[in-house]
Amino acid sequence: MERILLLTPNSSDFMKKTKFCNIILKQFPDGENYVRIPVEFAGRDVTLIHRCYPEQDRSLMQLLLILTTLKEGGASRVRAVVPYLPYARQDKLFLKGEALSSKIVCELIGKSGCDELITFDCHFLKKEGEFTYGGLKIRNISLSQQIISYFKKKLHSPKIISPDEGASYFLAKEKDRGVMKKKRGEYSEGKSIYRKPEIEVGFEVKGRDVVIVDDMVSTGSTMLKAVEACRKLGAKSISCGASHGLFLNNSLKRLKKAGAKEVIVSDSIKSPASKISLLNSLTELL
Ligand code: R5P
């Protein structure tokens, strides 16, 4: 079966050498999305790479249009690589009538013709491997080893820490590790939905080089609480690593100000802290 690789413009950096990007994405005057795939794909095995952040709503809509066009145009098997899967954190219901967005988004992707979704440290999966969620086959790849190795090359025997149970799978191979306890408080008032985290450490960090790892830094509140707690408890140095860096609320700067010596993330979302490239994992995959 002939295989082809398709990239959208927001992911062209993943194939730097060729500046590959063969899907045309435009907008109509009213803001609606236009998609065109100007290459022959009927009867072929297609791998599509498309970032879905920032502008997650627009990017998801583009993804659904691309997938449906591929499937209806006769592509034989379609794999979509979405490095950071948006809406993955809305995987539990707290209040009556809430939307289970993570599942709805996966159902939409599957129903649009995606045979397999490949993503990295997907929030609701909480471990590496192959899963089916919302009827969609998902391969979840963890960047934990790449993040931890980055710091192990720089620090002598650091303690590797996760700020909550959810990211504790990052530490599976670590002997010297610590899992903090995180509780989310009440929903904040106002337009945005957010529950502030409270963190309990529960292990020694005094005089140690510590590396705090998580699946993502979004508003940065979790990482900030973890950094502040380690600083108060006398850690010698504090470094932070996460797979995805959204860095809302100026949190990259705030983390450094709070005492983080270095903050790194992958290029699933491009940022000044993107030190881990997905290129290796993607090259292996393709
Ligand atoms: C939550 O369980 C995740 O693992 C992250 O800790 C969290 O989503 C980070 O969000 P924020 O940066 O807004 O605290």
Side-chain angles (χ1 to χ4, degrees), residues 17 39 42-43 54 59 62 82 116 131 134 180 212 223 260 268:
K17 283 184 197 149
V39 289
S59 309
Q62 290 166 338
V82 175
E116 185 184 23
F131 306 84
M180 294 177 171
I212 309 169
M223 204 50 111
S268 64

PDB file of all heavy atoms in Angstrom, residues 17 39 42-43 54 59 62 82 116 131 134 180 212 223 260 268:
ATOM      1  N   LYS A  17      13.389  19.914   6.799  1.00  0.00           N
ATOM      2  CA  LYS A  17      14.243  19.839   5.616  1.00  0.00           C
ATOM      3  C   LYS A  17      13.484  20.124   4.323  1.00  0.00           C
ATOM      4  O   LYS A  17      13.983  20.756   3.421  1.00  0.00           O
ATOM      5  CB  LYS A  17      14.869  18.453   5.525  1.00  0.00           C
ATOM      6  CG  LYS A  17      16.009  18.308   6.501  1.00  0.00           C
ATOM      7  CD  LYS A  17      16.679  16.974   6.330  1.00  0.00           C
ATOM      8  CE  LYS A  17      17.519  16.707   7.570  1.00  0.00           C
ATOM      9  NZ  LYS A  17      17.624  15.312   7.889  1.00  0.00           N
ATOM     10  N   VAL A  39      -3.263  16.968  -3.375  1.00  0.00           N
ATOM     11  CA  VAL A  39      -2.433  15.835  -3.811  1.00  0.00           C
ATOM     12  C   VAL A  39      -3.325  14.598  -3.935  1.00  0.00           C
ATOM     13  O   VAL A  39      -4.397  14.542  -3.343  1.00  0.00           O
ATOM     14  CB  VAL A  39      -1.284  15.533  -2.813  1.00  0.00           C
ATOM     15  CG1 VAL A  39      -0.218  16.597  -2.830  1.00  0.00           C
ATOM     16  CG2 VAL A  39      -1.816  15.346  -1.401  1.00  0.00           C
ATOM     17  N   ALA A  42      -6.364   9.079  -2.980  1.00  0.00           N
ATOM     18  CA  ALA A  42      -7.299   7.935  -3.085  1.00  0.00           C
ATOM     19  C   ALA A  42      -6.514   6.622  -3.096  1.00  0.00           C
ATOM     20  O   ALA A  42      -5.482   6.505  -3.750  1.00  0.00           O
ATOM     21  CB  ALA A  42      -8.131   8.070  -4.350  1.00  0.00           C
ATOM     22  N   GLY A  43      -6.981   5.682  -2.304  1.00  0.00           N
ATOM     23  CA  GLY A  43      -6.351   4.360  -2.267  1.00  0.00           C
ATOM     24  C   GLY A  43      -5.059   4.319  -1.479  1.00  0.00           C
ATOM     25  O   GLY A  43      -4.379   3.306  -1.449  1.00  0.00           O
ATOM     26  N   PRO A  54      -2.292  26.618  19.264  1.00  0.00           N
ATOM     27  CA  PRO A  54      -3.430  27.398  19.774  1.00  0.00           C
ATOM     28  C   PRO A  54      -4.611  27.386  18.784  1.00  0.00           C
ATOM     29  O   PRO A  54      -4.546  26.695  17.780  1.00  0.00           O
ATOM     30  CB  PRO A  54      -2.836  28.798  19.907  1.00  0.00           C
ATOM     31  CG  PRO A  54      -1.726  28.841  18.928  1.00  0.00           C
ATOM     32  CD  PRO A  54      -1.183  27.445  18.802  1.00  0.00           C
ATOM     33  N   SER A  59      -8.808  24.799  14.850  1.00  0.00           N
ATOM     34  CA  SER A  59      -7.963  23.682  14.406  1.00  0.00           C
ATOM     35  C   SER A  59      -8.713  22.359  14.430  1.00  0.00           C
ATOM     36  O   SER A  59      -8.500  21.502  13.575  1.00  0.00           O
ATOM     37  CB  SER A  59      -6.736  23.551  15.301  1.00  0.00           C
ATOM     38  OG  SER A  59      -6.109  24.772  15.410  1.00  0.00           O
ATOM     39  N   GLN A  62     -10.906  22.298  11.438  1.00  0.00           N
ATOM     40  CA  GLN A  62     -10.086  22.000  10.246  1.00  0.00           C
ATOM     41  C   GLN A  62      -9.785  20.507  10.187  1.00  0.00           C
ATOM     42  O   GLN A  62      -9.875  19.877   9.133  1.00  0.00           O
ATOM     43  CB  GLN A  62      -8.764  22.789  10.303  1.00  0.00           C
ATOM     44  CG  GLN A  62      -8.947  24.279  10.098  1.00  0.00           C
ATOM     45  CD  GLN A  62      -7.720  25.095  10.478  1.00  0.00           C
ATOM     46  OE1 GLN A  62      -6.876  24.648  11.259  1.00  0.00           O
ATOM     47  NE2 GLN A  62      -7.616  26.292   9.937  1.00  0.00           N
ATOM     48  N   VAL A  82      -1.909  14.403  16.274  1.00  0.00           N
ATOM     49  CA  VAL A  82      -2.275  15.675  16.907  1.00  0.00           C
ATOM     50  C   VAL A  82      -1.425  15.759  18.178  1.00  0.00           C
ATOM     51  O   VAL A  82      -1.756  15.134  19.187  1.00  0.00           O
ATOM     52  CB  VAL A  82      -3.787  15.714  17.243  1.00  0.00           C
ATOM     53  CG1 VAL A  82      -4.137  16.990  18.010  1.00  0.00           C
ATOM     54  CG2 VAL A  82      -4.627  15.603  15.979  1.00  0.00           C
ATOM     55  N   GLU A 116      -6.743   6.016  13.320  1.00  0.00           N
ATOM     56  CA  GLU A 116      -5.913   6.012  14.532  1.00  0.00           C
ATOM     57  C   GLU A 116      -5.446   7.433  14.816  1.00  0.00           C
ATOM     58  O   GLU A 116      -4.963   8.123  13.918  1.00  0.00           O
ATOM     59  CB  GLU A 116      -4.693   5.095  14.347  1.00  0.00           C
ATOM     60  CG  GLU A 116      -3.881   4.979  15.620  1.00  0.00           C
ATOM     61  CD  GLU A 116      -2.605   4.146  15.464  1.00  0.00           C
ATOM     62  OE1 GLU A 116      -2.107   4.007  14.326  1.00  0.00           O
ATOM     63  OE2 GLU A 116      -2.103   3.658  16.474  1.00  0.00           O
ATOM     64  N   PHE A 131      -5.117   2.663  23.169  1.00  0.00           N
ATOM     65  CA  PHE A 131      -6.399   2.722  23.881  1.00  0.00           C
ATOM     66  C   PHE A 131      -7.528   2.921  22.876  1.00  0.00           C
ATOM     67  O   PHE A 131      -7.291   3.341  21.749  1.00  0.00           O
ATOM     68  CB  PHE A 131      -6.419   3.915  24.856  1.00  0.00           C
ATOM     69  CG  PHE A 131      -5.267   3.932  25.809  1.00  0.00           C
ATOM     70  CD1 PHE A 131      -4.038   4.474  25.437  1.00  0.00           C
ATOM     71  CD2 PHE A 131      -5.393   3.389  27.078  1.00  0.00           C
ATOM     72  CE1 PHE A 131      -2.959   4.470  26.317  1.00  0.00           C
ATOM     73  CE2 PHE A 131      -4.329   3.379  27.963  1.00  0.00           C
ATOM     74  CZ  PHE A 131      -3.113   3.923  27.582  1.00  0.00           C
ATOM     75  N   GLY A 134     -14.032   6.869  23.394  1.00  0.00           N
ATOM     76  CA  GLY A 134     -15.063   7.494  22.545  1.00  0.00           C
ATOM     77  C   GLY A 134     -15.118   6.812  21.180  1.00  0.00           C
ATOM     78  O   GLY A 134     -15.386   7.470  20.173  1.00  0.00           O
ATOM     79  N   MET A 180       3.496  14.391  44.700  1.00  0.00           N
ATOM     80  CA  MET A 180       2.788  15.345  45.569  1.00  0.00           C
ATOM     81  C   MET A 180       1.292  15.040  45.539  1.00  0.00           C
ATOM     82  O   MET A 180       0.812  14.396  44.607  1.00  0.00           O
ATOM     83  CB  MET A 180       3.029  16.780  45.087  1.00  0.00           C
ATOM     84  CG  MET A 180       4.469  17.220  45.224  1.00  0.00           C
ATOM     85  SD  MET A 180       4.669  18.876  44.556  1.00  0.00           S
ATOM     86  CE  MET A 180       6.320  19.274  45.059  1.00  0.00           C
ATOM     87  N   ILE A 212      10.553  18.801  38.608  1.00  0.00           N
ATOM     88  CA  ILE A 212       9.097  18.584  38.680  1.00  0.00           C
ATOM     89  C   ILE A 212       8.590  18.354  37.258  1.00  0.00           C
ATOM     90  O   ILE A 212       8.840  19.169  36.364  1.00  0.00           O
ATOM     91  CB  ILE A 212       8.380  19.804  39.307  1.00  0.00           C
ATOM     92  CG1 ILE A 212       9.051  20.183  40.639  1.00  0.00           C
ATOM     93  CG2 ILE A 212       6.898  19.508  39.528  1.00  0.00           C
ATOM     94  CD1 ILE A 212       8.609  21.524  41.202  1.00  0.00           C
ATOM     95  N   MET A 223       2.135  23.955  38.610  1.00  0.00           N
ATOM     96  CA  MET A 223       3.598  23.980  38.635  1.00  0.00           C
ATOM     97  C   MET A 223       4.102  25.042  39.615  1.00  0.00           C
ATOM     98  O   MET A 223       5.053  24.810  40.358  1.00  0.00           O
ATOM     99  CB  MET A 223       4.088  24.230  37.221  1.00  0.00           C
ATOM    100  CG  MET A 223       5.463  23.759  36.892  1.00  0.00           C
ATOM    101  SD  MET A 223       5.829  22.048  37.328  1.00  0.00           S
ATOM    102  CE  MET A 223       5.984  21.245  35.767  1.00  0.00           C
ATOM    103  N   ALA A 260      12.118  28.700  39.661  1.00  0.00           N
ATOM    104  CA  ALA A 260      12.474  27.600  38.750  1.00  0.00           C
ATOM    105  C   ALA A 260      13.733  27.992  37.974  1.00  0.00           C
ATOM    106  O   ALA A 260      13.782  29.036  37.327  1.00  0.00           O
ATOM    107  CB  ALA A 260      11.333  27.308  37.792  1.00  0.00           C
ATOM    108  N   SER A 268       5.306  20.433  20.954  1.00  0.00           N
ATOM    109  CA  SER A 268       3.914  20.119  20.586  1.00  0.00           C
ATOM    110  C   SER A 268       3.156  21.427  20.416  1.00  0.00           C
ATOM    111  O   SER A 268       2.272  21.551  19.573  1.00  0.00           O
ATOM    112  CB  SER A 268       3.255  19.262  21.674  1.00  0.00           C
ATOM    113  OG  SER A 268       3.174  19.989  22.881  1.00  0.00           O
TER     114      SER A 268
END
